[in-house]
Amino acid sequence: MADASTIRGPRPYNPRDPARFFFMSDPGSWSVPHARIEWRDDAPHDPESGDIFFSRTDGRAESECVFLRGNGLEQRWSRLDPARPGVFVVGETGFGSGLNFLLTQDRFLRTAPPACQLHYVSVEHRPWTRADLRRAHAQWPELAQHARDLQAQWPPPLRGPHRLHLAGDRVRLTLLFDEAAAALAGLQAGIHAWYLDGFAPARDAAIWRPAVLREVARLSAPGATLATYTAAGAVRRALGEHGFVVERLPGFAGKRHRLVARLPAAEPASPRPLPGPVAVIGAGFAGASCALALSRRGLATTVIEGQPQPASGASGVPQAVLYLKLSGACSDVARLQLHALRYAMAQTVHCPVDSAVAGVLQLGDAAQCARWEGLAAVPADLLQPVDRQQAAALAGIPLQSGGLWFPGAFALPGADFCNTRLTASGATFMAGRQVTGLAAGDEGDWNLQLSGSGPASLRAAAVICCGGTGPSLQGLPLHGIRGQLTRFRADATVTPRCVLTGAGHVIPLADGSFYAGSSYAHDNPSLAPVAGDDAENRLRAAGLLGCAQQDLSPVAAWVGLRCAGPDHLPAAGALPGPAGNFTLTGLRSRGLLFSPLLAEAIASELCGEPLPLTRPQWRSLDPGRWLRGKTGNPDQRLRK
């Protein structure tokens, strides 16, 4: 955590900043509908198109013929250089039952060198339910383990990108729940092989629109290949117009023709090699999450921390809360928060669950609860609007209002979160070392100068600076926001059994006490507890709990300085200047919410993978926006 004296204050809000328009409500909905499937003799039919999802003859054989052999994948994978591993990317328009994915994963794991990785990105505007997936997958017992892993991680139908980790992190799946044209337009990727799937063009014209095929061409790596079961003239002509060389081949099981295509190049597209060692500066929420995301790709990582142990700054908060604030309006920034919440909830394998408090209940007044009624369209796995009686039943104490229930959210000690992720990463940890200098090398690498006991320098292929200080961040307008938590004891009938948020937090502990807070001060860099903040926290707690202030006895306090930027969103991604210099900073009080997903996004960009965010969302987090003077206040609901 940065010392407030070393980081800069905020710039004023600019109402003319064009970046603010990104955060205006859009006309889209929160969720996409599930597919409505009619099962006829264990064959899944789509009543809207009148078509069947996979071949009655042999759906598996058709997928192997059309897509895997059509792209020559097993031969290409077998020729990958084990000494130069990378990430091979397959793109698909129409996930459906997931049969294509399960087959591709199975063949990749059997064929490609062990150090090579697969990234599969697929569009689906009507995802199947988990129950329908389970019924379909039962027909392919040889794929049972892959199918169970997919079913276990199957996400709710929240519109936008969902990142899943499979096969011991050797396979990553990005599901884009949206209409094909919109989903692909928001994607940033370099795809080596395409599966154009979906119903026949005559039955489902939207997925074959010129706008979709234009995005397919934009997202293709040089030399990319493509395969599809259709040979419709409109599809063939559109692919040719976008630079593909198209060939018509005999179809499968009595179908007349299918298509294969490629972009002209000396040879089929192949992955770029993974980068060399990466240095992560800082061992708080951001640094620990980056170390874990990098380790998933097999990258050698060194985490450098100026203090003797991880989470020595604000990330060492005794109880951190996974939460977000929504107005009820459906906007892209709101979806970003919800996707960050889903991803963080899915990563509980790397969280110290034994020390976590399960469930977060956000309370609101009558006007807020009325606005939150529109959030009923958000998948219930993520949040549920509740009335006063329901809220009281969840909290186990009488409450004065309803609110939003986040069943998969939690609170836990910040140090536990950081230590667990660092341990899981296997990263080399250098404690008590400061990075005093950072310079780009002649070979595209970076040289870090270090103080303290040990080697005086370290070379890395890339650097990720996390926190509020460091040579990479000296030009960024970062500042410290002081926060004080107070621990209280009260009668057992007052303490809730879940986290309460609203105008502050109440976080119950196993011994019956609870933390409450926290203050939010821009003008006090002191880390010494302040009696006035304890009084404010007592007022916050009494308001949330509906009890008298005199019933609450303060017993301890904790103070930290949050690192913040000027526009209430984090900064994540590449810094201006030579390549390979990244940052994840400005998390404010949203470390648990944002650090897992944004660390995954940085690792994806570093390794040439599809991003787990949309392009507009990723641009909104660009650290360079602060240097270009785009320091508007995009959404006041993110202020704390």
Side-chain angles (χ1 to χ4, degrees):
M1 184 67 194
D3 186 297
S5 65
T6 65
I7 47 184
R8 295 161 173 77
R11 299 180 184 178
Y13 170 53
N14 177 9
R16 295 184 176 85
D17 178 10
R20 76 191 191 283
F21 292 109
F22 165 72
F23 299 93
M24 296 175 68
S25 297
D26 65 32
S29 61
W30 292 109
S31 302
V32 294
H34 276 124
R36 187 163 63 91
I37 296 173
E38 293 180 355
W39 290 90
R40 306 173 191 170
D41 299 326
D42 279 335
H45 289 255
D46 176 50
E48 293 188 23
S49 67
D51 209 342
I52 192 169
F53 278 93
F54 46 78
S55 170
R56 289 187 183 88
T57 305
D58 190 337
R60 172 176 174 160
E62 181 179 41
S63 291
E64 290 176 335
C65 172
V66 173
F67 298 115
L68 276 81
R69 290 203 294 273
N71 282 288
L73 291 182
E74 290 191 60
Q75 295 86 346
R76 291 163 68 179
W77 294 335
S78 67
R79 293 196 298 265
L80 294 176
D81 186 350
R84 291 167 58 84
V87 182
F88 192 97
V89 184
V90 173
E92 179 185 47
T93 57
F95 190 80
S97 67
L99 173 58
N100 291 341
F101 167 70
L102 295 175
L103 281 172
T104 302
Q105 172 177 313
D106 184 70
R107 290 295 186 274
F108 182 86
L109 295 174
R110 294 172 184 270
T111 307
C116 294
Q117 301 164 38
L118 173 69
H119 197 124
Y120 193 103
V121 57
S122 183
V123 175
E124 183 52 72
H125 72 290
R126 289 183 299 148
W128 287 33
T129 65
R130 186 179 281 107
D132 283 326
L133 287 176
R134 191 177 296 116
R135 184 169 179 177
H137 295 166
Q139 301 181 46
W140 311 302
E142 65 279 11
L143 301 173
Q145 185 57 59
H146 299 324
R148 284 192 293 269
D149 292 345
L150 174 62
Q151 294 160 19
Q153 294 192 43
W154 191 244
L158 178 68
R159 188 182 300 273
H162 298 264
R163 175 63 53 84
L164 282 65
H165 299 266
L166 300 156
D169 285 321
R170 194 178 165 200
V171 175
R172 285 176 287 282
L173 170 63
T174 299
L175 291 164
L176 306 174
F177 287 167
D178 209 339
E179 296 288 343
L184 294 179
L187 181 63
Q188 181 174 314
I191 292 174
H192 303 117
W194 280 98
Y195 302 168
L196 297 193
D197 203 356
F199 299 120
R203 297 175 182 266
D204 186 11
I207 205 167
W208 303 99
R209 290 166 48 199
V212 173
L213 299 180
R214 182 174 62 247
E215 291 300 325
V216 166
R218 177 184 67 82
L219 292 165
S220 296
T225 61
L226 177 151
T228 179
Y229 66 87
T230 186
V235 175
R236 192 167 64 249
R237 289 188 294 273
L239 290 173
E241 290 170 1
H242 291 299
F244 284 93
V245 177
V246 184
E247 183 180 1
R248 192 166 56 179
L249 299 178
F252 174 81
K255 293 183 179 179
R256 291 184 61 191
H257 298 108
R258 58 188 170 93
L259 298 179
V260 296
R262 61 179 177 83
L263 288 177
E267 57 184 29
S270 60
R272 76 185 192 200
L274 292 173
V278 181
V280 175
I281 305 173
F285 289 137
S289 295
C290 285
L292 181 60
L294 295 168
S295 75
R296 285 175 150 162
R297 288 147 176 90
L299 300 183
T301 304
T302 299
V303 178
I304 305 165
E305 169 59 48
Q307 300 301 316
Q309 58 191 10
S312 295
S315 296
V317 59
Q319 288 292 317
V321 182
L322 174 64
Y323 81 110
L324 63 160
K325 289 198 173 183
L326 300 171
S327 69
C330 183
S331 66
D332 215 359
V333 71
R335 284 207 198 98
L336 171 62
Q337 293 187 83
L338 285 170
H339 279 283
L341 173 67
R342 188 212 69 83
Y343 188 77
M345 287 165 44
Q347 302 305 301
T348 53
V349 66
H350 297 300
C351 287
V353 178
D354 291 345
S355 62
V357 180
V360 173
L361 179 61
Q362 184 177 349
L363 302 177
D365 57 26
Q368 286 174 314
C369 289
R371 290 194 296 270
W372 288 340
E373 290 178 1
L375 295 173
V378 175
D381 305 43
L382 300 178
L383 65 84
Q384 304 159 24
V386 293
D387 60 25
R388 183 172 64 83
Q389 291 77 16
Q390 292 169 320
L394 290 166
I397 59 173
L399 294 173
Q400 303 304 309
S401 67
L404 293 176
W405 171 241
F406 298 88
F410 51 83
L412 49 71
D416 288 0
F417 176 86
C418 296
N419 285 318
T420 300
R421 295 173 85 79
L422 285 170
T423 300
S425 75
T428 299
F429 182 59
M430 299 176 65
R433 309 296 303 276
Q434 296 283 351
V435 179
T436 58
L438 179 65
D442 296 333
E443 300 180 0
D445 57 355
W446 290 86
N447 184 44
L448 293 81
Q449 298 299 316
L450 306 175
S451 66
S453 176
S457 65
L458 175 72
R459 298 191 74 82
V463 178
I464 308 174
C465 193
C466 303
T469 60
S472 298
L473 305 180
Q474 290 179 358
L476 295 184
L478 299 169
H479 62 287
I481 300 176
R482 184 183 182 279
Q484 181 167 321
L485 279 175
T486 307
R487 187 168 181 173
F488 292 94
R489 292 199 178 277
D491 185 275
T493 60
V494 172
T495 303
R497 58 175 172 232
C498 64
V499 178
L500 300 184
T501 74
H505 298 315
V506 169
I507 309 156
L509 302 175
D511 65 357
S513 65
F514 61 85
Y515 275 102
S518 73
S519 60
Y520 223 77
H522 293 264
D523 54 358
N524 183 2
S526 172
L527 295 178
V530 175
D533 284 0
D534 286 340
E536 290 181 7
N537 288 337
R538 176 187 281 177
L539 184 63
R540 291 184 178 98
L544 287 169
L545 297 171
C547 65
Q549 292 187 58
Q550 56 266 30
D551 294 337
L552 308 178
S553 303
V555 294
W558 178 90
V559 180
L561 290 177
R562 312 171 182 93
C563 180
D567 61 4
H568 307 286
L569 274 180
L575 288 158
N581 192 12
F582 297 83
T583 188
L584 176 53
T585 189
L587 295 173
R588 294 185 170 238
S589 52
R590 298 291 195 277
L592 285 186
L593 177 67
F594 281 125
S595 64
L597 181 62
L598 300 188
E600 175 68 13
I602 291 172
S604 295
E605 182 167 281
L606 185 58
C607 296
E609 300 178 56
L611 294 180
L613 312 175
T614 67
R615 287 199 294 166
Q617 288 170 342
W618 193 231
R619 286 196 298 267
S620 76
L621 302 172
D622 176 16
R625 74 189 189 273
W626 292 340
L627 300 176
R628 293 189 295 269
K630 293 184 177 180
T631 56
N633 184 357
D635 195 328
Q636 290 287 350
R637 292 176 295 279
L638 289 174
R639 177 171 292 277
K640 292 186 181 181

